[in-house]
Every structure is written in C-alpha cells, then in structure tokens.
Amino acid sequence: MATIHTRSDAQQHEYDFGNPDIPYIEQRGFSLGLNFGQTDLWGDVGTKSVLDHYNNSVYKDDIFKNMRFMGGMFVRYTYVPGISFRLGVNYGALYATDQWNQEKALKAKTVADDAYQRYVRNLDIKTNLWESNLLVEFAPLRISNWEFGKLAKMRFQPYLLAGVSGFYFNPRGTFKDFETGREVEVDLKPLHTEGQNFSAPGTTFPKNYSNFSWAAVGGIGFKFDIGKGLALGLEYQLRFTFTDYLDDVSGKYVDPLNFQVAYLNQPGKGNLATKMADRSGEIMPGYKHQAGEFRGDPNNKDKFSSISLMFFWKIKKRASPWWSTY
C-alpha cells in the first residue's frame, strides 16, 4: 500500500533539524568574517584592578599611546541555527606599564601598598602577537525553539563563544639611557631577566619559557543582520593563557652577579640584563631589589582580551531576507 504524506509530514520535514534549507533563519553553510578592535594585557605588569587599568591619569592623558589593537579574519560554518564553528587568525599588539599606578602610589599610606610596589617596580611590556583560534559560537535565542519561535527570527542575536587559541609572542621592554636621553625597545627573553636556565650552587632558577603558548577562550557578543548577506557585531574575548611570561614577569629577582657570570664574554649584555631586570632605580635612584624578592606572582597565569567590531558575510544567501518572508 502506498504511503500517503500529509501536510503535517511536509511541514515537519521543512523544519527538520537536518534540513540544510531551514526557512526564515540562517542557512547551513559558510560565512567569511573580519574583526578589528582593542586589546588589553592582564598579567603581572600594570594595575591590579580592571578599573585602575583604565581609570588612571597616565592612561587617560594619552589614551592612544596606551591602547593597542588587533585585527584578523575568520571562516565561519553554521551547522544548525544557533551553533556555528569559527577558524580564524589575528595579528595585534599588547601593552602594559607599571606607570599606570603612579596616581595611586603617590597617595599610598605605606610602602607596602600594592600600587606603590608596582609603581616602584617600574616595568613595561610591549609585544606583537600572532594568534590562531578555533571557536564554537552559540546563539541561545536562535537555537531555542528555532522552528517557530519569534526570538529565533530576530535580526539581533546575542551569542556566546568558547574555544582554544595558539599564539606567538615576543615581550619587549623600554631601555632608557639617561646619559643620552635615548629610549629603545629591547627583546627581553634573550636577557633571561629572572635567571631562566641559569645555574649556581645552592640556587634553583626557573626554566626558560617558549615564545609559543596556548589559551582557553571565552567570549560574548551580538550581531545584527542588515541585509541578505551582511551582519555587523560587537564581540569581547578573554584568553586564559598557559604561560606566565607574556609580560616576561613571573617569579623573583636574581642577584645581578648572576647576569655578569652568565654573560661573562658579553659584558654589554650582562649590564643590559641587570638594568632591564630591575628598573626601580629609574624611580628611586640607587634603589635595588634584593635577590629572592618577588618580581611577579608565579601562581597566576597571564590573560589578554580583545573587544572588536565584527563583520560577517554569508556566502550562501536567501533570495529574500528571512525576516520579511514569514
């Protein structure tokens, strides 16, 4: 006996989860995207709190000197409405300086105050960064009751992100020559500023770190469809890295004699490493930290974030916008 397909059968297939041409919502397929925005480094160098990071006189007096940016592109594949996968690459820069603590340090009641200690430490960090990432994008309003729900058909869609990234970084610091007034950026990793891979009787030094690391990524954003193929959005991503040396700071100060011994045949390098490892003397002439004093917090890995404008271009588009079809 022949099977009779009712109207409800056809309608059910029309909204079947595996149907690649589900009406009124984003189709299964690929999109291309661009992103550009501001980055921030959350490591040992800089301020302790997020509020102090932005709300200090040094930062606000020259915002563009203190801001850094990142841009990139990605390929996005929508599997079902509300669930997409993204593969992207980014290039940008990160920056932080202990000078952001100056205002609070001058008001500190004791030298043990956190802002005072950071300000006197007087380190800064700049690094260019290459990143690749694999992310899952989850739009809760679109996947919730997507067959018939009105929220799923809205052009405005918030979403969550989760995934992993791999990145290359190369921390640099500012060397100030007070005799000539010259300032130059120097690579910090080759100087082994915390004695990485050094050896000395009775002393344990940290291992050298890699310029490559990984991060777990979490984020939140929203996008707004403005045509058949184009969507614009705003997105925040926070990377929890697996390195504590994104800013070349993690552990303790070492005896300056260790630099002279390690670079016995490179006296210029030994002097440079000594100056870049402890720059407190630029704030308080003649002051030096003792070997074994903490330079950073080895128990907290570094993080960095970005807030970006997003551009999505759908390769596979409908004949008419889905929001005006239903």
Side-chain angles (χ1 to χ4, degrees):
M1 179 182 294
T3 302
I4 300 175
H5 296 282
T6 66
R7 182 178 178 83
S8 60
D9 292 332
Q11 289 176 334
Q12 184 174 353
H13 174 72
E14 182 181 20
Y15 294 105
D16 185 84
F17 209 64
N19 185 354
D21 294 311
I22 302 168
Y24 316 131
I25 49 182
E26 187 174 1
Q27 286 177 292
R28 175 172 295 175
F30 286 96
S31 304
L32 300 177
L34 298 173
N35 55 275
F36 179 80
Q38 179 196 351
T39 58
D40 286 300
L41 171 60
W42 310 102
D44 293 286
V45 176
T47 63
K48 183 177 182 179
S49 75
V50 175
L51 181 61
D52 290 337
H53 178 96
Y54 302 108
N55 188 33
N56 68 82
S57 58
V58 174
Y59 189 97
K60 293 187 293 186
D61 287 348
D62 196 343
I63 292 179
F64 288 103
K65 177 184 177 181
N66 290 278
M67 293 176 68
R68 292 299 185 273
F69 301 91
M70 175 182 285
M73 61 183 65
F74 57 88
V75 177
R76 176 174 176 270
Y77 178 74
T78 298
Y79 179 63
V80 294
I83 299 180
S84 302
F85 302 90
R86 283 167 34 183
L87 180 65
V89 293
N90 294 306
Y91 175 74
L94 300 173
Y95 174 68
T97 174
D98 286 334
Q99 290 296 304
W100 291 337
N101 297 281
Q102 181 183 42
E103 192 173 17
K104 291 190 71 174
L106 295 176
K107 299 177 182 178
K109 296 181 179 180
T110 69
V111 297
D113 188 272
D114 181 82
Y116 182 88
Q117 289 293 321
R118 289 172 182 266
Y119 175 63
V120 172
R121 183 178 57 184
N122 191 40
L123 297 176
D124 72 337
I125 173 64
K126 308 176 183 71
T127 179
N128 291 339
L129 187 142
W130 284 98
E131 179 191 38
S132 61
N133 57 50
L134 177 62
L135 306 173
V136 179
E137 180 184 312
F138 175 75
L141 299 185
R142 183 151 288 171
I143 198 172
S144 176
N145 194 23
W146 53 265
E147 302 99 322
F148 305 103
K150 293 183 178 180
L151 293 179
K153 301 167 188 175
M154 291 171 51
R155 284 182 282 178
F156 173 85
Q157 290 291 329
Y159 59 85
L160 302 174
L161 288 171
V164 295
S165 78
F167 58 91
Y168 170 86
F169 65 102
N170 182 37
R172 312 190 82 197
T174 303
F175 170 73
K176 297 182 179 181
D177 188 332
F178 288 96
E179 294 182 1
T180 64
R182 184 172 62 103
E183 294 187 4
V184 295
E185 293 182 7
V186 297
D187 292 337
L188 295 174
K189 183 188 174 185
L191 299 178
H192 302 268
T193 55
E194 294 185 355
Q196 293 92 339
N197 279 8
F198 286 2
S199 62
T203 305
T204 301
F205 294 97
K207 295 181 180 180
N208 204 10
Y209 61 88
S210 173
N211 291 103
F212 296 88
S213 189
W214 300 89
V217 184
I220 188 171
F222 68 84
K223 62 188 182 75
F224 188 84
D225 292 292
I226 61 175
K228 298 178 183 178
L230 181 64
L232 303 180
L234 185 68
E235 181 175 292
Y236 177 82
Q237 288 187 27
L238 180 61
R239 288 84 160 176
F240 299 85
T241 78
F242 293 91
T243 180
D244 196 28
Y245 284 102
L246 196 53
D247 52 12
D248 191 63
V249 178
S250 177
K252 300 177 180 180
Y253 291 94
V254 299
D255 189 331
L257 181 61
N258 294 125
F259 295 119
Q260 303 303 324
V261 173
Y263 306 125
L264 188 61
N265 298 322
Q266 306 173 70
K269 185 175 181 180
N271 292 335
L272 179 61
T274 300
K275 291 180 179 180
M276 298 305 295
D278 187 356
R279 295 175 53 192
S280 300
E282 298 174 14
I283 299 294
M284 301 173 62
Y287 180 80
K288 294 182 180 180
H289 285 89
Q290 297 298 310
E293 289 187 49
F294 277 101
R295 191 168 179 257
D297 185 354
N299 296 317
N300 290 326
K301 302 295 186 182
D302 296 332
K303 299 181 285 290
F304 68 97
S305 63
S306 62
I307 181 167
S308 306
L309 291 173
M310 309 296 294
F311 301 86
F312 304 85
W313 179 254
K314 303 171 189 175
I315 297 176
K316 186 177 182 181
K317 299 180 288 292
R318 298 188 177 283
S320 60
W322 47 258
W323 57 84
S324 64
T325 304
Y326 190 75

